[in-house]
Amino acid sequence: MPEPTYQPMTPAEVRVLRDELDAKGKKLVFTNGCFDLLHAGHVRYLNQARALGDAMVVALNSDASVRELKGPSRPVNRERDRAEVMAALRAVDAVVIFGDKRATALIEEIRPHIYAKGGDYTVDSLNPEELAALKSARSQISILPLVAGRSTTNTIERMMKPADGSGPLRLGVLGSGVGSNLKAILQAIEEHALDAEVVVAISDEKDSTFLKTAKAAHVPAHFVDGGHNPRRFNDAAHKEIAEHLQRAQVEVVVLAGFMRILKEPVLTAYADRIVNVHPSLLPMFKGARAVQDAIDEGELETGCTVHLVTSEIDAGRILAQATVPILVGDTAEVLHQRIKVEEHKLLPKVLSEWPRK
Ligand code: GRF
């Protein structure tokens, strides 16, 4: 294998770059970190940081300083490799390696125009020496948000999970409407709050936002023609659904705003593995008018329920519920939106706690 051609810069060379930019009225951004196993969170952060100025230098912690900061098992990748990968990114113009735990000496030497830092810091919670160096270099400090669910530690944890063959929970999601619950599931997966994969999405509405959402997320999506009765499926449609689910090796079926009644052979094939989300506190207000019915009954609160699906409508075992107050003047539409906010938390949570064999 050929040796890497990338040579990290020295701090003095970066200072020259900074002064050249300065002479042209341009700005150098500086950021620092370990950047051990690069992930999308790093890339998004670096792109944002780079957009603050006209060029960017990344100060990489040396192997010794990563060990000191993160423990003896880190870094996974040695500093030369990390520098080479880092320098190949579009957002990065220069890489410098530094051996201290803190970047104070580098900041003093380079005097960057902008200092970017990711995470939960505030200007006041920065290391006092680094802060003093930044103040004396008159660097502008910019704290950028980190991307939820992305971190090197997180990646390593997932890689270290015992290889018991469990893997992410394979979900088949069925819906007829807007698909906001499908979206919530996809987002929870994206943020690693839910270890699952939506392996198939099925709808009885050809032009539904539900199907569009699935396709946009690259989930295999199918329209199944259920026949004329909007609440029931004909036998052929049931068979087709069962085939889609089995072909995709679905473990749990999720009814997320699915408006038709599900029957055999799906019910038996997935007994105790079909969940529905319903906009009321079951057993109160079953059926399709649940939100309006709760208002009409003069209830002070309603909510949502995640429950198992059986042949009896909205009557299977309740897995979780959340309450939502009914406010004076609530229309069904307004109240339903507030209920959905709770559904979007409750459904992914139930799925994330799904017992595995
Ligand atoms: C949700 O309120 C759910 O409780 C009910 O249908 C609605 C679906 O909403 N069964 P969406 O399509 O997920 O936005």
Side-chain angles (χ1 to χ4, degrees):
M1 202 174 69
E3 272 302 297
T5 48
Y6 181 75
Q7 282 296 331
M9 279 193 177
T10 63
E13 285 168 338
V14 180
R15 176 58 186 261
V16 171
L17 171 68
R18 181 255 180 227
D19 289 345
E20 282 169 5
L21 287 163
D22 195 67
K24 293 186 213 149
K26 295 193 166 178
K27 294 191 186 318
L28 177 70
V29 183
F30 174 106
T31 192
N32 62 293
C34 303
F35 299 101
D36 191 3
L37 286 176
L38 221 54
H39 51 73
H42 285 141
V43 175
R44 287 181 217 171
Y45 165 75
L46 291 168
N47 283 338
Q48 277 189 54
R50 170 65 177 76
L52 299 169
D54 303 288
M56 182 162 76
V57 55
V58 177
L60 264 188
N61 286 87
S62 69
D63 290 347
S65 66
V66 176
R67 254 192 305 282
E68 222 178 306
L69 285 164
K70 310 266 181 191
S73 61
R74 304 279 300 277
V76 177
N77 289 302
R78 59 193 182 128
E79 61 195 35
R80 277 303 171 101
D81 286 6
R82 287 185 284 125
E84 190 179 352
V85 171
M86 187 60 35
L89 295 179
R90 203 178 42 212
V92 179
D93 301 274
V95 178
V96 60
I97 295 175
F98 71 111
D100 302 336
K101 272 209 298 193
R102 306 270 165 228
T104 318
L106 263 187
I107 294 165
E108 281 165 356
E109 181 156 7
I110 295 173
R111 301 179 67 80
H113 300 97
I114 297 156
Y115 172 84
K117 183 103 190 157
D120 306 328
Y121 289 90
T122 61
V123 171
D124 293 333
S125 66
L126 288 177
N127 171 264
E129 283 148 31
E130 274 183 14
L131 191 58
L134 289 166
K135 280 195 175 144
S136 110
R138 286 205 246 124
S139 307
Q140 175 196 319
I141 301 171
S142 198
I143 312 279
L144 299 172
L146 285 183
V147 181
R150 303 288 194 292
S151 75
T152 300
T153 310
N154 206 315
T155 308
I156 293 173
E157 266 171 20
R158 284 201 312 276
M159 287 166 68
M160 301 294 285
K161 255 186 154 179
D164 60 0
S166 51
L169 189 66
R170 298 177 69 82
L171 303 176
V173 185
L174 276 61
S176 311
V178 183
S180 67
N181 279 289
L182 170 64
K183 234 185 196 159
I185 291 171
L186 292 168
Q187 190 173 337
I189 294 172
E190 174 85 8
E191 291 173 358
H192 301 299
L194 169 59
D195 184 17
E197 189 184 346
V198 180
V199 289
V200 67
I202 301 170
S203 182
D204 57 327
E205 292 291 337
K206 204 177 195 154
D207 300 317
S208 57
T209 317
F210 174 91
L211 274 188
K212 287 180 193 140
T213 301
K215 284 180 192 156
H218 307 290
V219 171
H222 306 280
F223 160 66
V224 172
D225 189 348
H228 299 305
N229 186 333
R231 294 285 290 139
R232 288 178 199 285
F233 257 135
N234 56 34
D235 289 348
H238 272 111
K239 199 162 164 283
E240 199 181 330
I241 289 183
E243 281 166 7
H244 279 311
L245 296 173
Q246 265 144 17
R247 222 173 288 135
Q249 297 179 306
V250 164
E251 292 174 84
V252 176
V253 180
V254 183
L255 306 188
F258 189 62
M259 297 314 287
R260 300 208 193 209
I261 298 161
L262 211 54
K263 289 207 170 140
E264 299 301 350
V266 186
L267 287 185
T268 303
Y270 289 92
D272 291 335
R273 292 189 294 144
I274 309 175
V275 295
N276 181 41
V277 55
H278 180 80
S280 81
L281 294 172
L282 288 174
M284 284 190 330
F285 310 118
K286 297 177 180 176
R289 280 176 39 92
V291 180
Q292 185 65 55
D293 288 348
I295 295 176
D296 293 347
E297 281 302 311
E299 296 291 335
L300 294 178
E301 68 172 18
T302 181
C304 53
T305 303
V306 177
H307 65 96
L308 291 177
V309 173
T310 59
S311 56
E312 205 183 322
I313 294 170
D314 297 334
R317 183 155 66 84
I318 291 172
L319 301 178
Q321 292 186 308
T323 57
V324 175
I326 301 180
L327 306 178
V328 177
D330 261 349
T331 60
E333 204 181 324
V334 168
L335 177 58
H336 200 169
Q337 284 314 317
R338 288 209 313 282
I339 294 174
K340 281 193 182 189
V341 172
E342 293 307 316
E343 292 182 354
H344 299 163
K345 294 184 244 169
L346 197 67
L347 182 57
K349 184 165 183 291
V350 167
L351 295 171
S352 74
E353 290 164 1
W354 195 266
R356 308 297 294 269
K357 274 173 258 152

